[in-house]
Amino acid sequence: MVRILDPQLRRALAERVRYCHEMGIYDFYRRDFNEGGRFSGSTETKSPSGEMFAASLSLYESELREEMAARRSAVAPIIEEGIFEVVSPKPEYGVADPVAALQLIREDLGDCTRCKLHRQGRKQIVFGVGNPRAELMFVGEGPGADEDAQGEPFVGRAGQLLNNMIKAMGLGREDVYIANIVKCRPPGNRQPERDECETCSPFLMRQIATVKPKAIVALGATAAKNLLAMNAPMSELRGRWYDFKPAGSDPAWPGARLAVTYHPAFLLRDPRQKGEAWKDLQMVMKYLGIEPPRKAAE
Ligand code: SF4
């Protein structure tokens, strides 16, 4: 007999499964326990725990399907997105000079208190840095301690590695534009939370719409998932191009192509993946027509 579960319990279980999926865990095995809490060894028994788990899986799957459908529709027709949307005019609209336009966005951001990160120990807002007319833009997750102290993205150890990656491409840091999904340091270097990303990322979208890069490289899963509004493991996100154009951007700009690679901080923890990241960058270089220098930097 099917047991009706408490909706809160179902949701909690669904959240647990979702969390496991985000951690890359996809295979689950149902274990049944007898009253004494011992594993019965049967996967056929229709115990409450088994039903609850199956119910949570089915709820998760249906939620995931809905979420992916909604997100696909948000990402795929990027060019059409702006056709019917009413976009409130922003101060930088109509300003042709990207230096001035970025300055207007920075002024609009002000001493931002729009999300809770403003009261969680940030020293300063880390806006973005680089060539306002860059063909290539890198987007990371959020500032760390060094970035918070210096007010510039990617200046710590991970920043040094990003510099080396840029150099290996035959470019300099001054040739590209670098920014993050959130502009304030999350406490303890935790991942920025969804509400923080949703509140802050419109400013990043305006920076992207101003710089109008040909290519964007999302550094790490958090940046990729927020830019693409899709939830997938890095193994699926990497190795392909995505069309990317923020809503309300210049109709004459065709938009950027977006690629995903590993975050430099991850590469510091697992240097074996540097070769994979280099493949991603080579894909970007090919698209931009960049010849690598003879000896690529490590
Ligand atoms: S993270 Fe972004 S939205 Fe939040 S306070 Fe900082 S600048 Fe404002």
Side-chain angles (χ1 to χ4, degrees):
M1 192 172 83
V2 176
R3 190 163 171 263
I4 307 233
L5 298 172
D6 172 69
Q8 272 191 329
L9 178 59
R10 285 187 70 190
R11 190 158 294 280
L13 282 164
E15 280 303 318
R16 169 58 58 175
V17 177
R18 182 194 298 276
Y19 172 77
C20 290
H21 278 199
E22 286 185 355
M23 298 292 288
I25 302 164
Y26 292 92
D27 294 324
F28 297 95
Y29 301 92
R30 196 175 74 194
R31 292 194 304 170
D32 297 324
F33 290 85
N34 59 26
E35 279 190 357
R38 296 181 56 149
F39 177 44
S40 73
S42 165
T43 55
E44 298 302 318
T45 311
K46 290 198 185 251
S47 72
S49 64
E51 285 168 12
M52 281 192 285
F53 196 75
S56 71
L57 270 176
S58 108
L59 176 64
Y60 168 63
E61 281 167 7
S62 70
E63 281 184 351
L64 190 62
R65 267 196 298 276
E66 280 171 27
E67 182 180 314
M68 294 309 285
R71 290 179 176 209
R72 263 197 301 276
S73 64
V75 172
I78 290 163
I79 304 298
E80 293 156 24
E81 192 176 314
I83 295 176
F84 300 112
E85 190 169 340
V86 178
V87 180
S88 56
K90 300 286 187 273
E92 73 277 14
Y93 283 9
V95 176
D97 176 13
V99 178
L102 287 171
Q103 183 60 32
L104 288 169
I105 298 168
R106 180 64 190 90
E107 283 167 15
D108 193 22
L109 187 63
D111 187 21
C112 183
T113 57
R114 291 172 180 84
C115 86
K116 62 183 180 296
L117 285 179
H118 84 277
R119 54 179 150 77
Q120 296 191 348
R122 79 159 185 221
K123 288 195 176 77
Q124 56 188 312
I125 290 170
V126 180
F127 183 67
V129 72
N131 183 349
R133 296 177 180 83
E135 287 199 336
L136 175 59
M137 191 161 173
F138 288 92
V139 177
E141 179 178 308
D146 294 313
E147 290 74 18
D148 186 43
Q150 296 185 41
E152 188 172 322
F154 286 95
V155 290
R157 281 186 68 225
Q160 292 304 313
L161 180 53
L162 179 62
N163 289 349
N164 287 346
M165 291 160 71
I166 294 168
K167 194 172 160 193
M169 298 175 78
L171 299 171
R173 192 172 160 103
E174 66 284 355
D175 296 319
V176 304
Y177 193 87
I178 307 171
N180 283 307
I181 298 289
V182 295
K183 302 187 188 306
C184 298
R185 183 194 180 197
N189 287 345
R190 67 158 169 78
Q191 276 188 358
E193 292 170 2
R194 183 186 283 195
D195 61 311
E196 296 156 358
C197 295
E198 285 174 358
T199 307
C200 202
S201 58
F203 289 93
L204 171 66
M205 296 302 156
R206 289 164 61 185
Q207 288 168 282
I208 293 172
T210 298
V211 175
K212 299 187 184 121
K214 272 189 179 174
I216 299 170
V217 176
L219 297 166
T222 302
K225 288 175 185 180
N226 276 282
L227 287 168
L228 297 169
M230 61 191 287
N231 203 357
M234 283 296 280
S235 55
E236 285 176 27
L237 291 167
R238 289 181 49 245
R240 52 169 291 198
W241 285 111
Y242 304 83
D243 291 328
F244 189 86
K245 186 173 181 186
S249 47
D250 182 354
W253 175 49
R257 299 186 91 188
L258 188 148
V260 178
T261 193
Y262 293 113
H263 194 287
F266 171 78
L267 295 174
L268 287 173
R269 292 194 299 274
D270 187 357
R272 292 169 303 173
Q273 303 303 327
K274 281 186 180 176
E276 290 299 303
W278 181 234
K279 283 184 203 163
D280 300 330
L281 297 183
Q282 284 178 309
M283 183 176 90
V284 175
M285 289 159 67
K286 190 172 175 195
Y287 171 61
L288 293 176
I290 300 171
E291 288 291 327
R294 240 180 215 179
K295 188 172 186 311
E298 267 296 298

mmCIF file of all heavy atoms in Angstrom, residues 1-5 9 13 30-35 45-56:
data_model
loop_
_atom_site.group_PDB
_atom_site.id
_atom_site.type_symbol
_atom_site.label_atom_id
_atom_site.label_comp_id
_atom_site.label_asym_id
_atom_site.label_seq_id
_atom_site.Cartn_x
_atom_site.Cartn_y
_atom_site.Cartn_z
ATOM 1 N N MET A 1 0.838 -1.191 0.000
ATOM 2 C CA MET A 1 0.000 0.000 0.000
ATOM 3 C C MET A 1 0.886 1.261 0.000
ATOM 4 O O MET A 1 1.852 1.335 0.747
ATOM 5 C CB MET A 1 -0.875 -0.022 1.261
ATOM 6 C CG MET A 1 -1.956 1.002 1.208
ATOM 7 S SD MET A 1 -3.094 0.794 2.576
ATOM 8 C CE MET A 1 -2.275 1.645 3.861
ATOM 9 N N VAL A 2 0.540 2.188 -0.834
ATOM 10 C CA VAL A 2 1.362 3.401 -0.905
ATOM 11 C C VAL A 2 1.068 4.278 0.305
ATOM 12 O O VAL A 2 -0.077 4.501 0.647
ATOM 13 C CB VAL A 2 1.064 4.189 -2.202
ATOM 14 C CG1 VAL A 2 1.849 5.490 -2.213
ATOM 15 C CG2 VAL A 2 1.411 3.336 -3.398
ATOM 16 N N ARG A 3 2.133 4.725 0.930
ATOM 17 C CA ARG A 3 1.975 5.518 2.134
ATOM 18 C C ARG A 3 2.071 7.000 1.771
ATOM 19 O O ARG A 3 2.950 7.409 1.036
ATOM 20 C CB ARG A 3 3.106 5.146 3.088
ATOM 21 C CG ARG A 3 3.008 5.675 4.458
ATOM 22 C CD ARG A 3 3.967 4.860 5.310
ATOM 23 N NE ARG A 3 4.094 5.436 6.629
ATOM 24 C CZ ARG A 3 5.073 6.241 6.986
ATOM 25 N NH1 ARG A 3 5.995 6.568 6.126
ATOM 26 N NH2 ARG A 3 5.125 6.725 8.203
ATOM 27 N N ILE A 4 1.114 7.812 2.248
ATOM 28 C CA ILE A 4 1.169 9.248 1.953
ATOM 29 C C ILE A 4 2.159 9.886 2.927
ATOM 30 O O ILE A 4 2.050 9.719 4.126
ATOM 31 C CB ILE A 4 -0.205 9.894 2.127
ATOM 32 C CG1 ILE A 4 -1.153 9.090 1.295
ATOM 33 C CG2 ILE A 4 -0.149 11.386 1.822
ATOM 34 C CD1 ILE A 4 -1.995 9.724 0.339
ATOM 35 N N LEU A 5 3.100 10.589 2.362
ATOM 36 C CA LEU A 5 4.161 11.149 3.200
ATOM 37 C C LEU A 5 3.870 12.591 3.544
ATOM 38 O O LEU A 5 3.230 13.313 2.788
ATOM 39 C CB LEU A 5 5.486 11.089 2.438
ATOM 40 C CG LEU A 5 5.964 9.701 2.064
ATOM 41 C CD1 LEU A 5 7.156 9.820 1.157
ATOM 42 C CD2 LEU A 5 6.332 8.933 3.323
ATOM 43 N N LEU A 9 8.486 16.347 4.821
ATOM 44 C CA LEU A 9 9.473 15.276 4.811
ATOM 45 C C LEU A 9 9.868 14.942 3.379
ATOM 46 O O LEU A 9 11.049 14.766 3.055
ATOM 47 C CB LEU A 9 8.893 14.037 5.511
ATOM 48 C CG LEU A 9 9.807 12.804 5.545
ATOM 49 C CD1 LEU A 9 11.118 13.116 6.242
ATOM 50 C CD2 LEU A 9 9.100 11.656 6.260
ATOM 51 N N LEU A 13 13.584 15.256 1.840
ATOM 52 C CA LEU A 13 14.275 14.144 1.181
ATOM 53 C C LEU A 13 14.678 14.529 -0.239
ATOM 54 O O LEU A 13 15.776 14.213 -0.700
ATOM 55 C CB LEU A 13 13.357 12.914 1.147
ATOM 56 C CG LEU A 13 13.261 12.158 2.479
ATOM 57 C CD1 LEU A 13 12.068 11.218 2.469
ATOM 58 C CD2 LEU A 13 14.538 11.381 2.751
ATOM 59 N N ARG A 30 18.535 1.337 -2.163
ATOM 60 C CA ARG A 30 17.542 1.388 -1.094
ATOM 61 C C ARG A 30 17.849 0.330 -0.059
ATOM 62 O O ARG A 30 18.032 -0.831 -0.390
ATOM 63 C CB ARG A 30 16.156 1.138 -1.700
ATOM 64 C CG ARG A 30 15.054 1.535 -0.770
ATOM 65 C CD ARG A 30 13.727 1.395 -1.446
ATOM 66 N NE ARG A 30 13.325 0.020 -1.581
ATOM 67 C CZ ARG A 30 12.344 -0.387 -2.367
ATOM 68 N NH1 ARG A 30 11.696 0.474 -3.101
ATOM 69 N NH2 ARG A 30 12.018 -1.634 -2.429
ATOM 70 N N ARG A 31 17.929 0.754 1.182
ATOM 71 C CA ARG A 31 18.144 -0.196 2.260
ATOM 72 C C ARG A 31 16.919 -0.178 3.153
ATOM 73 O O ARG A 31 16.381 0.877 3.476
ATOM 74 C CB ARG A 31 19.367 0.194 3.097
ATOM 75 C CG ARG A 31 20.651 0.042 2.340
ATOM 76 C CD ARG A 31 21.810 0.089 3.268
ATOM 77 N NE ARG A 31 21.801 1.322 4.063
ATOM 78 C CZ ARG A 31 22.614 1.524 5.087
ATOM 79 N NH1 ARG A 31 23.451 0.604 5.458
ATOM 80 N NH2 ARG A 31 22.572 2.640 5.733
ATOM 81 N N ASP A 32 16.467 -1.369 3.556
ATOM 82 C CA ASP A 32 15.314 -1.443 4.438
ATOM 83 C C ASP A 32 15.772 -1.858 5.828
ATOM 84 O O ASP A 32 16.631 -2.715 5.984
ATOM 85 C CB ASP A 32 14.318 -2.471 3.905
ATOM 86 C CG ASP A 32 13.790 -2.043 2.556
ATOM 87 O OD1 ASP A 32 13.614 -0.826 2.367
ATOM 88 O OD2 ASP A 32 13.589 -2.921 1.693
ATOM 89 N N PHE A 33 15.184 -1.240 6.814
ATOM 90 C CA PHE A 33 15.558 -1.543 8.184
ATOM 91 C C PHE A 33 14.371 -2.168 8.917
ATOM 92 O O PHE A 33 13.218 -1.751 8.725
ATOM 93 C CB PHE A 33 15.966 -0.254 8.922
ATOM 94 C CG PHE A 33 17.265 0.285 8.423
ATOM 95 C CD1 PHE A 33 17.305 1.113 7.300
ATOM 96 C CD2 PHE A 33 18.454 -0.061 9.023
ATOM 97 C CE1 PHE A 33 18.498 1.596 6.833
ATOM 98 C CE2 PHE A 33 19.655 0.431 8.547
ATOM 99 C CZ PHE A 33 19.682 1.259 7.460
ATOM 100 N N ASN A 34 14.672 -3.171 9.749
ATOM 101 C CA ASN A 34 13.601 -3.711 10.584
ATOM 102 C C ASN A 34 13.443 -2.823 11.816
ATOM 103 O O ASN A 34 14.131 -1.810 11.961
ATOM 104 C CB ASN A 34 13.913 -5.156 10.961
ATOM 105 C CG ASN A 34 15.232 -5.260 11.711
ATOM 106 O OD1 ASN A 34 15.654 -4.296 12.352
ATOM 107 N ND2 ASN A 34 15.874 -6.402 11.593
ATOM 108 N N GLU A 35 12.557 -3.197 12.692
ATOM 109 C CA GLU A 35 12.267 -2.318 13.825
ATOM 110 C C GLU A 35 13.489 -2.043 14.686
ATOM 111 O O GLU A 35 13.602 -1.012 15.303
ATOM 112 C CB GLU A 35 11.148 -2.926 14.668
ATOM 113 C CG GLU A 35 9.809 -2.623 14.044
ATOM 114 C CD GLU A 35 8.667 -2.990 14.935
ATOM 115 O OE1 GLU A 35 8.903 -3.539 16.019
ATOM 116 O OE2 GLU A 35 7.541 -2.746 14.536
ATOM 117 N N THR A 45 11.393 -5.328 -0.372
ATOM 118 C CA THR A 45 10.442 -4.998 0.668
ATOM 119 C C THR A 45 9.941 -3.573 0.507
ATOM 120 O O THR A 45 10.732 -2.654 0.351
ATOM 121 C CB THR A 45 11.104 -5.117 2.052
ATOM 122 O OG1 THR A 45 11.755 -6.367 2.083
ATOM 123 C CG2 THR A 45 10.085 -5.010 3.152
ATOM 124 N N LYS A 46 8.627 -3.390 0.578
ATOM 125 C CA LYS A 46 8.095 -2.038 0.437
ATOM 126 C C LYS A 46 7.983 -1.417 1.824
ATOM 127 O O LYS A 46 6.902 -1.304 2.384
ATOM 128 C CB LYS A 46 6.741 -2.075 -0.247
ATOM 129 C CG LYS A 46 6.859 -2.462 -1.688
ATOM 130 C CD LYS A 46 5.620 -2.071 -2.439
ATOM 131 C CE LYS A 46 5.718 -2.574 -3.847
ATOM 132 N NZ LYS A 46 5.890 -1.857 -4.868
ATOM 133 N N SER A 47 9.099 -1.102 2.388
ATOM 134 C CA SER A 47 9.093 -0.503 3.712
ATOM 135 C C SER A 47 8.831 0.989 3.596
ATOM 136 O O SER A 47 8.987 1.586 2.530
ATOM 137 C CB SER A 47 10.459 -0.704 4.357
ATOM 138 O OG SER A 47 11.367 0.138 3.706
ATOM 139 N N PRO A 48 8.433 1.624 4.719
ATOM 140 C CA PRO A 48 8.240 3.081 4.667
ATOM 141 C C PRO A 48 9.488 3.803 4.186
ATOM 142 O O PRO A 48 9.406 4.735 3.408
ATOM 143 C CB PRO A 48 7.930 3.435 6.126
ATOM 144 C CG PRO A 48 7.346 2.188 6.700
ATOM 145 C CD PRO A 48 8.042 1.056 6.001
ATOM 146 N N SER A 49 10.684 3.341 4.611
ATOM 147 C CA SER A 49 11.890 4.066 4.190
ATOM 148 C C SER A 49 12.069 3.976 2.682
ATOM 149 O O SER A 49 12.416 4.948 2.023
ATOM 150 C CB SER A 49 13.116 3.505 4.908
ATOM 151 O OG SER A 49 13.323 2.158 4.527
ATOM 152 N N GLY A 50 11.794 2.790 2.138
ATOM 153 C CA GLY A 50 11.927 2.620 0.699
ATOM 154 C C GLY A 50 10.932 3.471 -0.045
ATOM 155 O O GLY A 50 11.256 4.131 -1.033
ATOM 156 N N GLU A 51 9.699 3.506 0.450
ATOM 157 C CA GLU A 51 8.676 4.322 -0.223
ATOM 158 C C GLU A 51 9.025 5.796 -0.149
ATOM 159 O O GLU A 51 8.854 6.546 -1.097
ATOM 160 C CB GLU A 51 7.311 4.083 0.433
ATOM 161 C CG GLU A 51 6.704 2.754 0.047
ATOM 162 C CD GLU A 51 5.513 2.416 0.916
ATOM 163 O OE1 GLU A 51 5.041 3.315 1.639
ATOM 164 O OE2 GLU A 51 5.084 1.274 0.866
ATOM 165 N N MET A 52 9.526 6.203 1.035
ATOM 166 C CA MET A 52 9.866 7.614 1.193
ATOM 167 C C MET A 52 10.960 8.002 0.213
ATOM 168 O O MET A 52 10.920 9.041 -0.411
ATOM 169 C CB MET A 52 10.349 7.879 2.628
ATOM 170 C CG MET A 52 9.210 7.997 3.606
ATOM 171 S SD MET A 52 9.772 8.628 5.180
ATOM 172 C CE MET A 52 10.588 7.231 5.844
ATOM 173 N N PHE A 53 11.943 7.111 0.093
ATOM 174 C CA PHE A 53 13.058 7.429 -0.789
ATOM 175 C C PHE A 53 12.607 7.475 -2.239
ATOM 176 O O PHE A 53 12.957 8.393 -2.984
ATOM 177 C CB PHE A 53 14.164 6.393 -0.589
ATOM 178 C CG PHE A 53 15.453 6.874 -1.150
ATOM 179 C CD1 PHE A 53 16.184 7.839 -0.483
ATOM 180 C CD2 PHE A 53 15.915 6.395 -2.360
ATOM 181 C CE1 PHE A 53 17.370 8.301 -1.010
ATOM 182 C CE2 PHE A 53 17.094 6.859 -2.882
ATOM 183 C CZ PHE A 53 17.827 7.809 -2.209
ATOM 184 N N ALA A 54 11.761 6.470 -2.607
ATOM 185 C CA ALA A 54 11.260 6.462 -3.984
ATOM 186 C C ALA A 54 10.435 7.716 -4.240
ATOM 187 O O ALA A 54 10.546 8.343 -5.295
ATOM 188 C CB ALA A 54 10.410 5.211 -4.205
ATOM 189 N N ALA A 55 9.635 8.094 -3.228
ATOM 190 C CA ALA A 55 8.804 9.292 -3.405
ATOM 191 C C ALA A 55 9.673 10.525 -3.556
ATOM 192 O O ALA A 55 9.409 11.399 -4.373
ATOM 193 C CB ALA A 55 7.875 9.453 -2.195
ATOM 194 N N SER A 56 10.738 10.590 -2.748
ATOM 195 C CA SER A 56 11.602 11.763 -2.835
ATOM 196 C C SER A 56 12.285 11.830 -4.188
ATOM 197 O O SER A 56 12.430 12.893 -4.778
ATOM 198 C CB SER A 56 12.661 11.733 -1.728
ATOM 199 O OG SER A 56 13.607 10.732 -1.987
#
